[in-house]
Amino acid sequence: MLARARWPESGDGPPPPVPGFVHSGFAPLVVAVADRCLRRRYGDGPPPAGNRTAVLLVSASGDRASATHVRATVAAGGRVGPLFFFQSVPNSVAGHVAARWGLDGPVVCLSPTGDGSDEGAAEADLLLYDGDAAQVLLVLIEQALDGTPGEATAVLLGEGTRQ
């Protein structure tokens, strides 16, 4: 393990908003925990070019708040805003993190049917040991059912490390 972070940690409030993502705390939570983890490894600068760092987002429920909003809007005969077509796919925020940090490995999203940590670690192992990536930023996130942002963990794994 090269770095690890959680959100929330002591003293954290809600994660800061992310431009281009509306209504839901899912994307801000992913970005906040990913930024915190990557800063612990790289400070404020990006990793070196050619870093082959994959982003692996694991969430059983995905962006629950956006999905609920879209479902309710459609059921009421309303028009869904165009941002929801972009942000309702977890790949969009994983790609945002990759672009923001200059991560040039694959972007993968999983919706586990079992333990998210185990399934995420197994996928990270595949990415590392098959040579698809030299590092994997593994983000585990679940939104809370009560409308609060929920919690997330990010772990940066590198070649030769196992979780």
Side-chain angles (χ1 to χ4, degrees):
M1 184 174 352
L2 304 173
R4 180 181 187 91
R6 291 191 45 74
W7 195 285
E9 290 180 353
S10 180
D12 284 340
V18 178
F21 293 90
V22 296
H23 186 75
S24 172
F26 185 85
L29 186 56
V30 170
V31 171
V33 75
D35 282 356
R36 179 174 280 167
C37 183
L38 291 167
R39 278 193 185 99
R40 288 181 177 164
R41 176 69 177 173
Y42 296 108
D44 289 331
N51 57 72
R52 295 180 42 239
T53 302
V55 178
L56 172 56
L57 179 64
V58 179
S59 178
S61 59
D63 186 349
R64 182 178 288 148
S66 289
T68 300
H69 171 75
V70 168
R71 189 171 29 257
T73 301
V74 170
R79 183 174 172 185
V80 177
L83 281 178
F84 285 100
F85 293 103
F86 164 77
Q87 85 172 36
S88 295
V89 179
N91 286 19
S92 61
V93 72
H96 175 86
V97 169
R100 181 177 177 140
W101 278 90
L103 308 179
D104 53 15
V107 173
V108 179
C109 292
L110 295 179
S111 181
T113 56
D115 182 271
S117 295
D118 290 345
E119 291 187 32
E123 183 66 23
D125 279 348
L126 285 174
L127 290 166
L128 290 169
Y129 295 103
D130 284 350
D132 294 325
Q135 297 182 132
V136 176
L137 176 64
L138 171 59
V139 178
L140 303 161
I141 175 175
E142 293 303 330
Q143 283 186 298
L145 294 173
D146 63 4
T148 60
E151 55 185 49
T153 300
V155 181
L156 184 62
L157 303 168
E159 289 178 334
T161 63
R162 289 199 181 253
Q163 207 175 9

PDB file of all heavy atoms in Angstrom, residues 120-148:
ATOM      1  N   GLY A 120     -12.863  -5.602  -4.980  1.00  0.00           N
ATOM      2  CA  GLY A 120     -11.983  -4.524  -5.443  1.00  0.00           C
ATOM      3  C   GLY A 120     -10.522  -4.930  -5.396  1.00  0.00           C
ATOM      4  O   GLY A 120      -9.760  -4.662  -6.330  1.00  0.00           O
ATOM      5  N   ALA A 121     -10.111  -5.589  -4.300  1.00  0.00           N
ATOM      6  CA  ALA A 121      -8.726  -6.047  -4.181  1.00  0.00           C
ATOM      7  C   ALA A 121      -8.389  -7.076  -5.256  1.00  0.00           C
ATOM      8  O   ALA A 121      -7.295  -7.043  -5.825  1.00  0.00           O
ATOM      9  CB  ALA A 121      -8.480  -6.618  -2.788  1.00  0.00           C
ATOM     10  N   ALA A 122      -9.322  -7.962  -5.552  1.00  0.00           N
ATOM     11  CA  ALA A 122      -9.090  -8.971  -6.594  1.00  0.00           C
ATOM     12  C   ALA A 122      -8.922  -8.311  -7.961  1.00  0.00           C
ATOM     13  O   ALA A 122      -8.034  -8.683  -8.739  1.00  0.00           O
ATOM     14  CB  ALA A 122     -10.237  -9.982  -6.627  1.00  0.00           C
ATOM     15  N   GLU A 123      -9.755  -7.314  -8.257  1.00  0.00           N
ATOM     16  CA  GLU A 123      -9.630  -6.601  -9.543  1.00  0.00           C
ATOM     17  C   GLU A 123      -8.326  -5.806  -9.597  1.00  0.00           C
ATOM     18  O   GLU A 123      -7.660  -5.763 -10.636  1.00  0.00           O
ATOM     19  CB  GLU A 123     -10.824  -5.679  -9.763  1.00  0.00           C
ATOM     20  CG  GLU A 123     -10.815  -4.961 -11.081  1.00  0.00           C
ATOM     21  CD  GLU A 123     -10.976  -5.859 -12.293  1.00  0.00           C
ATOM     22  OE1 GLU A 123     -11.517  -6.978 -12.165  1.00  0.00           O
ATOM     23  OE2 GLU A 123     -10.564  -5.448 -13.392  1.00  0.00           O
ATOM     24  N   ALA A 124      -7.951  -5.176  -8.483  1.00  0.00           N
ATOM     25  CA  ALA A 124      -6.684  -4.437  -8.432  1.00  0.00           C
ATOM     26  C   ALA A 124      -5.510  -5.386  -8.689  1.00  0.00           C
ATOM     27  O   ALA A 124      -4.584  -5.049  -9.435  1.00  0.00           O
ATOM     28  CB  ALA A 124      -6.529  -3.738  -7.085  1.00  0.00           C
ATOM     29  N   ASP A 125      -5.555  -6.568  -8.075  1.00  0.00           N
ATOM     30  CA  ASP A 125      -4.512  -7.567  -8.322  1.00  0.00           C
ATOM     31  C   ASP A 125      -4.413  -7.909  -9.801  1.00  0.00           C
ATOM     32  O   ASP A 125      -3.314  -7.992 -10.353  1.00  0.00           O
ATOM     33  CB  ASP A 125      -4.781  -8.852  -7.531  1.00  0.00           C
ATOM     34  CG  ASP A 125      -4.330  -8.764  -6.083  1.00  0.00           C
ATOM     35  OD1 ASP A 125      -3.608  -7.803  -5.727  1.00  0.00           O
ATOM     36  OD2 ASP A 125      -4.705  -9.662  -5.308  1.00  0.00           O
ATOM     37  N   LEU A 126      -5.564  -8.085 -10.453  1.00  0.00           N
ATOM     38  CA  LEU A 126      -5.546  -8.389 -11.890  1.00  0.00           C
ATOM     39  C   LEU A 126      -4.901  -7.269 -12.691  1.00  0.00           C
ATOM     40  O   LEU A 126      -4.082  -7.525 -13.585  1.00  0.00           O
ATOM     41  CB  LEU A 126      -6.968  -8.633 -12.400  1.00  0.00           C
ATOM     42  CG  LEU A 126      -7.610  -9.955 -12.028  1.00  0.00           C
ATOM     43  CD1 LEU A 126      -9.074  -9.969 -12.487  1.00  0.00           C
ATOM     44  CD2 LEU A 126      -6.859 -11.121 -12.651  1.00  0.00           C
ATOM     45  N   LEU A 127      -5.275  -6.040 -12.385  1.00  0.00           N
ATOM     46  CA  LEU A 127      -4.716  -4.900 -13.112  1.00  0.00           C
ATOM     47  C   LEU A 127      -3.198  -4.799 -12.919  1.00  0.00           C
ATOM     48  O   LEU A 127      -2.458  -4.519 -13.864  1.00  0.00           O
ATOM     49  CB  LEU A 127      -5.396  -3.603 -12.678  1.00  0.00           C
ATOM     50  CG  LEU A 127      -6.848  -3.434 -13.101  1.00  0.00           C
ATOM     51  CD1 LEU A 127      -7.506  -2.288 -12.338  1.00  0.00           C
ATOM     52  CD2 LEU A 127      -6.948  -3.197 -14.599  1.00  0.00           C
ATOM     53  N   LEU A 128      -2.749  -5.035 -11.689  1.00  0.00           N
ATOM     54  CA  LEU A 128      -1.322  -4.928 -11.387  1.00  0.00           C
ATOM     55  C   LEU A 128      -0.522  -6.089 -11.974  1.00  0.00           C
ATOM     56  O   LEU A 128       0.513  -5.872 -12.618  1.00  0.00           O
ATOM     57  CB  LEU A 128      -1.101  -4.875  -9.878  1.00  0.00           C
ATOM     58  CG  LEU A 128      -1.559  -3.595  -9.174  1.00  0.00           C
ATOM     59  CD1 LEU A 128      -1.534  -3.782  -7.664  1.00  0.00           C
ATOM     60  CD2 LEU A 128      -0.701  -2.416  -9.598  1.00  0.00           C
ATOM     61  N   TYR A 129      -0.986  -7.284 -11.748  1.00  0.00           N
ATOM     62  CA  TYR A 129      -0.186  -8.453 -12.089  1.00  0.00           C
ATOM     63  C   TYR A 129      -0.345  -8.908 -13.531  1.00  0.00           C
ATOM     64  O   TYR A 129       0.483  -9.683 -14.019  1.00  0.00           O
ATOM     65  CB  TYR A 129      -0.447  -9.574 -11.081  1.00  0.00           C
ATOM     66  CG  TYR A 129       0.041  -9.117  -9.722  1.00  0.00           C
ATOM     67  CD1 TYR A 129      -0.853  -8.688  -8.752  1.00  0.00           C
ATOM     68  CD2 TYR A 129       1.403  -9.033  -9.443  1.00  0.00           C
ATOM     69  CE1 TYR A 129      -0.397  -8.210  -7.532  1.00  0.00           C
ATOM     70  CE2 TYR A 129       1.864  -8.553  -8.230  1.00  0.00           C
ATOM     71  CZ  TYR A 129       0.963  -8.148  -7.275  1.00  0.00           C
ATOM     72  OH  TYR A 129       1.415  -7.660  -6.074  1.00  0.00           O
ATOM     73  N   ASP A 130      -1.360  -8.411 -14.225  1.00  0.00           N
ATOM     74  CA  ASP A 130      -1.459  -8.652 -15.664  1.00  0.00           C
ATOM     75  C   ASP A 130      -0.715  -7.582 -16.454  1.00  0.00           C
ATOM     76  O   ASP A 130      -0.649  -7.650 -17.673  1.00  0.00           O
ATOM     77  CB  ASP A 130      -2.916  -8.691 -16.122  1.00  0.00           C
ATOM     78  CG  ASP A 130      -3.608  -9.990 -15.748  1.00  0.00           C
ATOM     79  OD1 ASP A 130      -2.924 -10.932 -15.313  1.00  0.00           O
ATOM     80  OD2 ASP A 130      -4.836 -10.063 -15.895  1.00  0.00           O
ATOM     81  N   GLY A 131      -0.207  -6.560 -15.756  1.00  0.00           N
ATOM     82  CA  GLY A 131       0.570  -5.516 -16.414  1.00  0.00           C
ATOM     83  C   GLY A 131      -0.263  -4.396 -16.997  1.00  0.00           C
ATOM     84  O   GLY A 131       0.262  -3.532 -17.706  1.00  0.00           O
ATOM     85  N   ASP A 132      -1.570  -4.359 -16.716  1.00  0.00           N
ATOM     86  CA  ASP A 132      -2.411  -3.275 -17.227  1.00  0.00           C
ATOM     87  C   ASP A 132      -2.139  -1.957 -16.521  1.00  0.00           C
ATOM     88  O   ASP A 132      -2.436  -0.897 -17.058  1.00  0.00           O
ATOM     89  CB  ASP A 132      -3.889  -3.629 -17.076  1.00  0.00           C
ATOM     90  CG  ASP A 132      -4.292  -4.806 -17.947  1.00  0.00           C
ATOM     91  OD1 ASP A 132      -3.748  -4.938 -19.054  1.00  0.00           O
ATOM     92  OD2 ASP A 132      -5.151  -5.595 -17.508  1.00  0.00           O
ATOM     93  N   ALA A 133      -1.599  -2.021 -15.300  1.00  0.00           N
ATOM     94  CA  ALA A 133      -1.326  -0.817 -14.526  1.00  0.00           C
ATOM     95  C   ALA A 133      -0.117  -1.062 -13.626  1.00  0.00           C
ATOM     96  O   ALA A 133       0.149  -2.198 -13.223  1.00  0.00           O
ATOM     97  CB  ALA A 133      -2.539  -0.442 -13.676  1.00  0.00           C
ATOM     98  N   ALA A 134       0.593   0.010 -13.314  1.00  0.00           N
ATOM     99  CA  ALA A 134       1.697  -0.061 -12.349  1.00  0.00           C
ATOM    100  C   ALA A 134       1.211   0.293 -10.951  1.00  0.00           C
ATOM    101  O   ALA A 134       1.835  -0.082  -9.966  1.00  0.00           O
ATOM    102  CB  ALA A 134       2.825   0.880 -12.767  1.00  0.00           C
ATOM    103  N   GLN A 135       0.119   1.064 -10.892  1.00  0.00           N
ATOM    104  CA  GLN A 135      -0.514   1.443  -9.628  1.00  0.00           C
ATOM    105  C   GLN A 135      -2.020   1.396  -9.836  1.00  0.00           C
ATOM    106  O   GLN A 135      -2.498   1.570 -10.957  1.00  0.00           O
ATOM    107  CB  GLN A 135      -0.123   2.862  -9.203  1.00  0.00           C
ATOM    108  CG  GLN A 135       1.329   3.067  -8.933  1.00  0.00           C
ATOM    109  CD  GLN A 135       1.618   4.483  -8.485  1.00  0.00           C
ATOM    110  OE1 GLN A 135       2.307   4.679  -7.520  1.00  0.00           O
ATOM    111  NE2 GLN A 135       1.103   5.479  -9.171  1.00  0.00           N
ATOM    112  N   VAL A 136      -2.748   1.201  -8.735  1.00  0.00           N
ATOM    113  CA  VAL A 136      -4.204   1.233  -8.784  1.00  0.00           C
ATOM    114  C   VAL A 136      -4.707   2.097  -7.638  1.00  0.00           C
ATOM    115  O   VAL A 136      -4.364   1.857  -6.477  1.00  0.00           O
ATOM    116  CB  VAL A 136      -4.825  -0.179  -8.661  1.00  0.00           C
ATOM    117  CG1 VAL A 136      -6.345  -0.092  -8.619  1.00  0.00           C
ATOM    118  CG2 VAL A 136      -4.368  -1.069  -9.809  1.00  0.00           C
ATOM    119  N   LEU A 137      -5.496   3.110  -7.977  1.00  0.00           N
ATOM    120  CA  LEU A 137      -6.208   3.896  -6.974  1.00  0.00           C
ATOM    121  C   LEU A 137      -7.557   3.212  -6.797  1.00  0.00           C
ATOM    122  O   LEU A 137      -8.429   3.312  -7.657  1.00  0.00           O
ATOM    123  CB  LEU A 137      -6.389   5.343  -7.420  1.00  0.00           C
ATOM    124  CG  LEU A 137      -7.213   6.204  -6.460  1.00  0.00           C
ATOM    125  CD1 LEU A 137      -6.515   6.354  -5.116  1.00  0.00           C
ATOM    126  CD2 LEU A 137      -7.489   7.567  -7.083  1.00  0.00           C
ATOM    127  N   LEU A 138      -7.717   2.487  -5.708  1.00  0.00           N
ATOM    128  CA  LEU A 138      -8.938   1.754  -5.403  1.00  0.00           C
ATOM    129  C   LEU A 138      -9.806   2.620  -4.503  1.00  0.00           C
ATOM    130  O   LEU A 138      -9.386   2.991  -3.411  1.00  0.00           O
ATOM    131  CB  LEU A 138      -8.585   0.434  -4.708  1.00  0.00           C
ATOM    132  CG  LEU A 138      -9.722  -0.388  -4.115  1.00  0.00           C
ATOM    133  CD1 LEU A 138     -10.742  -0.771  -5.165  1.00  0.00           C
ATOM    134  CD2 LEU A 138      -9.159  -1.617  -3.403  1.00  0.00           C
ATOM    135  N   VAL A 139     -11.003   2.975  -4.985  1.00  0.00           N
ATOM    136  CA  VAL A 139     -11.943   3.789  -4.209  1.00  0.00           C
ATOM    137  C   VAL A 139     -13.170   2.947  -3.920  1.00  0.00           C
ATOM    138  O   VAL A 139     -13.842   2.463  -4.836  1.00  0.00           O
ATOM    139  CB  VAL A 139     -12.351   5.064  -4.981  1.00  0.00           C
ATOM    140  CG1 VAL A 139     -13.371   5.869  -4.181  1.00  0.00           C
ATOM    141  CG2 VAL A 139     -11.131   5.921  -5.307  1.00  0.00           C
ATOM    142  N   LEU A 140     -13.447   2.770  -2.633  1.00  0.00           N
ATOM    143  CA  LEU A 140     -14.622   2.040  -2.163  1.00  0.00           C
ATOM    144  C   LEU A 140     -15.594   3.062  -1.608  1.00  0.00           C
ATOM    145  O   LEU A 140     -15.236   3.825  -0.699  1.00  0.00           O
ATOM    146  CB  LEU A 140     -14.232   1.045  -1.069  1.00  0.00           C
ATOM    147  CG  LEU A 140     -13.166   0.030  -1.460  1.00  0.00           C
ATOM    148  CD1 LEU A 140     -12.524  -0.578  -0.225  1.00  0.00           C
ATOM    149  CD2 LEU A 140     -13.755  -1.040  -2.341  1.00  0.00           C
ATOM    150  N   ILE A 141     -16.819   3.119  -2.139  1.00  0.00           N
ATOM    151  CA  ILE A 141     -17.774   4.144  -1.716  1.00  0.00           C
ATOM    152  C   ILE A 141     -19.176   3.573  -1.654  1.00  0.00           C
ATOM    153  O   ILE A 141     -19.585   2.816  -2.526  1.00  0.00           O
ATOM    154  CB  ILE A 141     -17.759   5.366  -2.670  1.00  0.00           C
ATOM    155  CG1 ILE A 141     -18.848   6.366  -2.266  1.00  0.00           C
ATOM    156  CG2 ILE A 141     -17.851   4.962  -4.115  1.00  0.00           C
ATOM    157  CD1 ILE A 141     -18.864   7.656  -3.040  1.00  0.00           C
ATOM    158  N   GLU A 142     -19.888   3.973  -0.618  1.00  0.00           N
ATOM    159  CA  GLU A 142     -21.319   3.716  -0.508  1.00  0.00           C
ATOM    160  C   GLU A 142     -21.974   4.969   0.057  1.00  0.00           C
ATOM    161  O   GLU A 142     -21.492   5.526   1.037  1.00  0.00           O
ATOM    162  CB  GLU A 142     -21.618   2.514   0.388  1.00  0.00           C
ATOM    163  CG  GLU A 142     -21.145   1.184  -0.164  1.00  0.00           C
ATOM    164  CD  GLU A 142     -21.684   0.823  -1.531  1.00  0.00           C
ATOM    165  OE1 GLU A 142     -22.817   1.244  -1.891  1.00  0.00           O
ATOM    166  OE2 GLU A 142     -20.970   0.114  -2.273  1.00  0.00           O
ATOM    167  N   GLN A 143     -23.043   5.395  -0.582  1.00  0.00           N
ATOM    168  CA  GLN A 143     -23.800   6.536  -0.070  1.00  0.00           C
ATOM    169  C   GLN A 143     -24.698   6.067   1.056  1.00  0.00           C
ATOM    170  O   GLN A 143     -25.195   4.938   1.051  1.00  0.00           O
ATOM    171  CB  GLN A 143     -24.653   7.156  -1.168  1.00  0.00           C
ATOM    172  CG  GLN A 143     -23.866   8.010  -2.127  1.00  0.00           C
ATOM    173  CD  GLN A 143     -24.775   8.721  -3.102  1.00  0.00           C
ATOM    174  OE1 GLN A 143     -25.462   8.082  -3.872  1.00  0.00           O
ATOM    175  NE2 GLN A 143     -24.771  10.036  -3.043  1.00  0.00           N
ATOM    176  N   ALA A 144     -24.903   6.945   2.011  1.00  0.00           N
ATOM    177  CA  ALA A 144     -25.805   6.641   3.115  1.00  0.00           C
ATOM    178  C   ALA A 144     -27.247   6.722   2.632  1.00  0.00           C
ATOM    179  O   ALA A 144     -27.566   7.465   1.703  1.00  0.00           O
ATOM    180  CB  ALA A 144     -25.572   7.626   4.258  1.00  0.00           C
ATOM    181  N   LEU A 145     -28.122   5.970   3.251  1.00  0.00           N
ATOM    182  CA  LEU A 145     -29.538   5.971   2.885  1.00  0.00           C
ATOM    183  C   LEU A 145     -30.272   7.197   3.404  1.00  0.00           C
ATOM    184  O   LEU A 145     -31.329   7.545   2.899  1.00  0.00           O
ATOM    185  CB  LEU A 145     -30.219   4.704   3.417  1.00  0.00           C
ATOM    186  CG  LEU A 145     -29.756   3.402   2.791  1.00  0.00           C
ATOM    187  CD1 LEU A 145     -30.376   2.211   3.511  1.00  0.00           C
ATOM    188  CD2 LEU A 145     -30.096   3.360   1.320  1.00  0.00           C
ATOM    189  N   ASP A 146     -29.708   7.872   4.399  1.00  0.00           N
ATOM    190  CA  ASP A 146     -30.401   8.993   5.035  1.00  0.00           C
ATOM    191  C   ASP A 146     -30.150  10.339   4.366  1.00  0.00           C
ATOM    192  O   ASP A 146     -30.500  11.374   4.908  1.00  0.00           O
ATOM    193  CB  ASP A 146     -30.028   9.072   6.512  1.00  0.00           C
ATOM    194  CG  ASP A 146     -28.547   9.346   6.740  1.00  0.00           C
ATOM    195  OD1 ASP A 146     -27.800   9.550   5.747  1.00  0.00           O
ATOM    196  OD2 ASP A 146     -28.118   9.371   7.906  1.00  0.00           O
ATOM    197  N   GLY A 147     -29.524  10.346   3.194  1.00  0.00           N
ATOM    198  CA  GLY A 147     -29.283  11.589   2.481  1.00  0.00           C
ATOM    199  C   GLY A 147     -27.952  12.239   2.813  1.00  0.00           C
ATOM    200  O   GLY A 147     -27.548  13.197   2.162  1.00  0.00           O
ATOM    201  N   THR A 148     -27.235  11.758   3.823  1.00  0.00           N
ATOM    202  CA  THR A 148     -25.901  12.285   4.101  1.00  0.00           C
ATOM    203  C   THR A 148     -24.930  11.712   3.072  1.00  0.00           C
ATOM    204  O   THR A 148     -25.241  10.724   2.403  1.00  0.00           O
ATOM    205  CB  THR A 148     -25.456  11.921   5.538  1.00  0.00           C
ATOM    206  OG1 THR A 148     -25.444  10.501   5.664  1.00  0.00           O
ATOM    207  CG2 THR A 148     -26.378  12.532   6.578  1.00  0.00           C
TER     208      THR A 148
END
